[in-house]
Amino acid sequence: MKKQDDMSAVPRAKLAAQMQIVIVTGLSGAGKSSALHAFEDIGFHAVDNLPLTMVEALVDDQSLAADSKPIAIGVDSRTLHFSPDLFVEVQQSLRARSNMRLHVLFMDASDDVLTQRFSETRRPHPLGERQLLRAAIKQERDLMTVVREHIDGILDTSSRTAAETRRIVRRRFAKEADDLIVTFMSFGFAHGAPRDADIVLDVRFLRNPHYVPELKPQTGRDDAVSNYVRADDAFTPFVDKVQDLLKFLMPRYQSEGKAYLTIAFGCTGGQHRSVATAEAVAGQMAVDGLAVNLYHRELAGSV
């Protein structure tokens, strides 16, 4: 991902005066509509499928500028006159404006999930004319390769419902733009590593409650499992080092204008060690005054 704008020297007062623009793009079926609904929920003007040739005219509209509300614009391969080169040209033009603050959010999901979603809804893929669904998905993914080089953040919805996607967007963008929102995620490597994590840490070196019969049906949220994982001699030194790393990195991410950061802890199944570790690190960072979110990918109803 390329970061086009350097926010390191921008004072907070100037940030507040800038118009916030979010372009929501990505693959068809990955949740762009759900994301735009979430932006509406938190007070954005939301516009979907606006032709790229009209984006700059929209943000220049004086009536929109007058009410100072941020704007979220949905753009993907279905958009009239869409082309990757034109997308790059438009986003570079917006980034160059001193009175605007642009964030490009890319919605993604695995090919298997996208195939399942289109099959279940029986909606045609926008590029699906005269070709198989998987071929259309691949064509669109190839088409969006150039776009992905110019994004600021990615949201992978492969394992998330539409409601979960909306909640994540609201949490990430409802805060002031110069606050870094940190999400601590747990997951299981058996189900694949999260593609939208900024930092992935493997905690499979910790002793595994899965092999203790009375602990196996529980999760890292339960005291018995948490205490078992914490009793590992490596647990406390690891958590301390993670906290030191984050305290070192976060001011630097903030100086580059990063709005949110996702740290993922992975174990085999995503039920025990990763959950306990994410809970421990998030809890301590919250005590230190950090705005944090918790998301346990493999646990139902965890968002």
Side-chain angles (χ1 to χ4, degrees):
M1 288 186 287
K2 286 186 178 180
K3 184 67 178 178
Q4 299 293 324
D5 51 338
D6 182 3
M7 308 292 283
S8 58
V10 179
R12 296 171 74 93
K14 186 174 181 180
L15 276 172
Q18 291 175 317
M19 176 185 290
Q20 185 181 5
I21 309 293
V22 179
I23 294 180
V24 185
T25 186
L27 299 182
S28 303
K32 179 168 66 73
S33 295
S34 293
L36 288 172
H37 290 155
F39 280 111
E40 284 186 312
D41 292 344
I42 56 177
F44 278 66
H45 289 297
V47 182
D48 197 8
N49 290 328
L50 184 72
L52 282 169
T53 53
M54 298 178 62
V55 168
E56 293 193 77
L58 173 70
V59 300
D60 285 335
D61 189 307
Q62 293 302 309
S63 63
L64 292 179
D67 68 10
S68 70
K69 289 177 67 173
I71 303 173
I73 305 169
V75 173
D76 62 18
S77 65
R78 291 169 288 191
T79 302
L80 185 64
H81 305 313
F82 177 85
S83 77
D85 291 340
L86 180 57
F87 181 94
V88 172
E89 180 183 328
V90 170
Q91 64 87 27
Q92 286 179 337
S93 176
L94 294 178
R95 291 190 195 278
R97 299 185 181 208
S98 60
N99 66 328
M100 293 183 184
R101 185 170 68 256
L102 177 67
H103 186 101
V104 179
L105 175 64
F106 192 93
M107 308 298 294
D108 199 2
S110 70
D111 288 358
D112 287 343
V113 169
L114 293 175
T115 300
Q116 181 181 356
R117 288 175 182 171
F118 275 103
S119 298
E120 289 176 348
T121 61
R122 299 185 180 181
R123 294 182 59 197
H125 191 281
L127 303 182
E129 186 177 358
R130 297 181 182 176
Q131 63 178 329
L132 296 175
L133 176 55
R134 281 191 174 272
I137 291 171
K138 182 182 185 304
Q139 180 183 348
E140 185 177 40
R141 193 177 291 282
D142 291 342
L143 180 69
M144 301 301 284
T145 298
V146 173
V147 171
R148 287 192 61 150
E149 296 176 357
H150 298 272
I151 65 177
D152 300 281
I154 183 170
L155 178 53
D156 188 327
T157 66
S158 299
S159 60
R160 294 175 173 132
T161 65
E164 290 170 344
T165 297
R166 290 193 294 270
R167 284 195 289 267
I168 290 168
V169 170
R170 288 196 295 263
R171 288 176 178 177
R172 286 184 176 181
F173 290 91
K175 302 290 184 180
E176 290 298 322
D178 52 347
D179 289 341
L180 179 64
I181 309 302
V182 181
T183 297
F184 294 97
M185 172 195 296
S186 69
F187 72 95
F189 281 101
H191 307 287
R195 294 185 295 176
D196 54 352
D198 298 288
I199 299 171
V200 175
L201 298 169
D202 187 345
V203 297
R204 288 176 291 186
F205 62 88
L206 298 171
R207 61 179 185 170
N208 194 349
H210 176 82
Y211 297 109
V212 180
E214 61 270 26
L215 299 181
K216 181 178 178 179
Q218 301 183 53
T219 77
R221 283 176 154 178
D222 295 306
D223 289 341
V225 173
S226 178
N227 292 338
Y228 182 90
V229 175
R230 289 169 181 262
D232 190 306
D233 290 342
F235 182 83
T236 298
F238 173 74
V239 169
D240 290 344
K241 291 181 184 298
V242 170
Q243 289 178 258
D244 289 342
L245 175 65
L246 294 179
K247 289 175 182 177
F248 170 78
L249 290 175
M250 286 190 298
R252 288 156 179 81
Y253 285 136
Q254 284 182 292
S255 71
E256 290 299 316
K258 193 171 182 65
Y260 56 86
L261 179 70
T262 300
I263 298 97
F265 297 94
C267 62
T268 304
Q271 302 290 321
H272 301 114
R273 293 167 291 179
S274 60
V275 174
T277 305
E279 292 271 345
V281 176
Q284 186 56 55
M285 298 301 285
V287 169
D288 292 342
L290 181 70
V292 302
N293 295 320
L294 258 176
Y295 173 54
H296 300 302
R297 193 183 73 177
E298 320 305 352
L299 302 186
S302 65
V303 175

